[in-house]
Amino acid sequence: MAWNPRDDLEKLVHIYTCGRKVQEPVSLLDVDYYYKGGPEALNICIQGGYTAVILDLGRLREGRQTEFLQCQRQCFLLALNEWRLGDVIVQKEFLQKGKEHWDFFMVFGSEEARKEIWRRYGIKASKLPFAPDAFSIDWEMVGVLDGFWKRKR
């Protein structure tokens, strides 16, 4: 569920459906996507008996810390490119609060930046394998996701 102001998921649905108007949720490859997330859509998911609900709450500065803290599992996808590193550093105090309990994944960036975040702030980011297709998961990614879901918190 996209619960942020960027509309990336809505754009993806627009492309996938060739611009046709569709009702939420949009089902792609046996996954239901709510591209205009919020409290109402989350309630539908909770009442609907989904196995898991994944919320894309956007950037920390977009004001979704309360919703983030209420989730059963929390993870960050960090872009550690030099031009995006500032986004991480600005939020370092909040990130450090949960560094023992939250999962951090590096989606982009250099190995040096990942090591520097660890050295400076104690935030250990696991490197996600490159995925050229957002809708296909290879065995390397299966291993990462399996470890994430099975890890005790």
Side-chain angles (χ1 to χ4, degrees):
M1 173 185 316
W3 193 343
N4 64 68
R6 289 190 321 265
D7 298 329
D8 293 336
L9 186 54
E10 186 172 8
K11 292 172 189 170
L12 178 68
V13 167
H14 183 78
I15 291 168
Y16 177 78
T17 62
C18 300
R20 292 187 318 271
K21 279 279 195 198
V22 293
Q23 296 281 350
E24 285 188 294
V26 174
S27 294
L28 305 172
L29 302 173
D30 296 326
V31 175
D32 292 340
Y33 293 91
Y34 289 82
Y35 52 88
K36 294 208 182 288
E40 300 82 17
L42 181 57
N43 189 45
I44 290 168
C45 291
I46 292 170
Q47 300 300 320
Y50 286 91
T51 304
V53 178
I54 299 173
L55 301 177
D56 177 353
L57 297 172
R59 296 180 180 100
L60 277 176
R61 66 177 175 262
E62 292 172 347
R64 298 276 177 238
Q65 288 92 342
T66 302
E67 290 85 354
F68 174 78
L69 293 171
Q70 292 174 345
C71 292
Q72 184 179 9
R73 298 287 309 268
Q74 294 94 359
C75 77
F76 285 93
L77 300 178
L78 303 173
L80 298 180
N81 305 76
E82 288 74 12
W83 60 92
R84 301 282 305 272
L85 205 51
D87 291 340
V88 176
I89 294 169
V90 167
Q91 300 295 333
K92 67 181 183 286
E93 287 84 16
F94 182 76
L95 296 174
Q96 285 179 313
K97 288 179 185 178
K99 67 183 178 186
E100 303 300 322
H101 309 287
W102 303 340
D103 291 284
F104 297 88
F105 296 101
M106 180 178 92
V107 292
F108 298 108
S110 68
E111 185 62 22
E112 292 78 24
R114 188 172 78 91
K115 288 177 182 176
E116 190 65 17
I117 291 294
W118 168 249
R119 187 183 68 74
R120 282 190 185 185
Y121 310 115
I123 296 171
K124 184 172 172 73
S126 301
K127 192 173 183 179
L128 285 180
F130 176 71
D133 180 355
F135 294 108
S136 69
I137 298 177
D138 63 14
W139 285 109
E140 187 179 8
M141 185 66 84
V142 167
V144 170
L145 295 174
D146 191 50
F148 170 75
W149 288 114
K150 289 182 177 176
R151 196 167 18 261
K152 302 276 190 236
R153 291 289 170 194

